[in-house]
Amino acid sequence: MSESLFELTVDPTINLLPYDGTVLDFGIILSSAVSEAVFNALLSTVEWKNDEAIIFGKRILTKRKFAWYGDKDYEYTYSKINRRALPWNTTLKKLKELVEKHSDESYNSCLLNLYHNGEEGVAWHSDDEKTLKPLGAIASLSLGASRKFSFRHKTTKEEISINLHAGQLLVMKDSTQINWLHSLPKTKKCTMPRISLTFRTIVSATCDIGPGDGIGRF
């Protein structure tokens, strides 16, 4: 995939949070045609797996699928299941470079989630694992169906929501993960699939996290 395929025109950056953090909306960074092409490419080339967990001794598979890629074979344990990052494929490497260019940040891994429809979502959580770069940026690139994405302050309970569309880039950084939760609410109105790519920076080669932590939960 050549870099010329990407639509580089973006909206002005916007801080969506009134206090205690920074969330920047870079708008649509991929044209509709390129966004659709990338979506289809990821569907066919990413090594998707059903997310799984061991709950009360039973192995549970989620309908949502995930994949994890990175500069190295970073390993993390979530709900007693070990996972290891795969090497970048061509499409993901190009997307990483594009996201880094727009956000003026660097990332060494990407967690992808495939939501088949609006019945699959993510509960309130923060991506605040100790293995992530402290106060580092987490960039979320959306593909496919438009979905509502919400933030809730941990103390004041104030909520802010935004509709994320195909090709849209959102970046969370500074103290956002310390002070705010975020979620992808379920909805019966959405019948189409969505892929989210969350680019982040791992500072430890091994991640050991519990069932309430946020990694992989976009």
Side-chain angles (χ1 to χ4, degrees):
M1 182 182 302
S2 66
E3 186 173 353
S4 62
L5 288 178
F6 292 112
E7 176 63 48
L8 298 179
T9 302
V10 299
D11 294 337
T13 60
I14 303 170
N15 187 1
L16 301 182
L17 301 182
Y19 46 82
D20 291 347
T22 304
V23 174
L24 302 177
D25 177 13
F26 288 80
I28 307 297
I29 66 169
L30 298 175
S31 69
S32 58
V34 172
S35 179
E36 182 178 358
V38 172
F39 180 88
N40 291 330
L42 293 179
L43 277 182
S44 61
T45 61
V46 166
E47 296 187 32
W48 298 105
K49 294 182 179 180
N50 289 95
D51 205 357
E52 54 185 321
I54 296 178
I55 302 177
F56 299 118
K58 297 181 63 177
R59 186 180 296 264
I60 305 297
L61 292 179
T62 65
K63 294 181 180 179
R64 184 190 71 219
K65 292 186 177 182
F66 87 102
W68 193 33
Y69 288 78
D71 290 352
K72 300 179 181 179
D73 57 345
Y74 302 115
E75 182 179 0
Y76 73 91
T77 301
Y78 171 71
S79 294
K80 301 181 181 179
I81 302 294
N82 293 326
R83 299 167 175 84
R84 188 177 295 275
L86 300 170
W88 302 104
N89 64 31
T90 301
T91 301
L92 286 173
K93 192 171 182 62
K94 281 292 185 182
L95 290 174
K96 173 180 175 291
E97 293 170 355
L98 182 70
V99 168
E100 288 178 333
K101 180 177 180 178
H102 281 283
S103 63
D104 196 25
E105 302 279 354
S106 61
Y107 310 96
N108 63 15
S109 58
C110 179
L111 209 47
L112 298 92
N113 281 283
L114 170 60
Y115 305 90
H116 297 88
N117 52 52
E119 294 183 359
E120 300 171 15
V122 181
W124 291 109
H125 69 282
S126 294
D127 296 327
D128 54 1
E129 295 76 38
K130 294 180 180 180
T131 52
L132 294 176
K133 179 181 177 180
L135 304 180
I138 297 177
S140 175
L141 179 63
S142 297
L143 298 170
S146 298
R147 292 287 295 270
K148 178 181 177 181
F149 190 73
S150 300
F151 294 90
R152 184 173 70 190
H153 195 273
K154 294 180 180 180
T155 302
T156 67
K157 309 304 180 184
E158 179 176 356
E159 293 189 15
I160 296 172
S161 297
I162 181 175
N163 289 321
L164 295 179
H165 306 288
Q168 188 167 355
L169 176 63
L170 196 74
V171 176
M172 304 177 288
K173 61 181 183 178
D174 303 331
S175 59
T176 299
Q177 305 302 329
I178 296 175
N179 299 303
W180 294 81
L181 303 169
H182 54 269
S183 71
L184 184 75
K186 295 182 180 181
T187 174
K188 294 183 179 180
K189 296 180 179 180
C190 180
T191 60
M192 302 301 291
R194 171 182 183 257
I195 293 175
S196 70
L197 302 91
T198 54
F199 295 89
R200 57 192 73 204
T201 302
I202 301 291
V203 294
S204 175
T206 301
C207 311
D208 188 5
I209 58 180
D213 293 317
I215 193 166
R217 289 177 162 266
F218 260 86

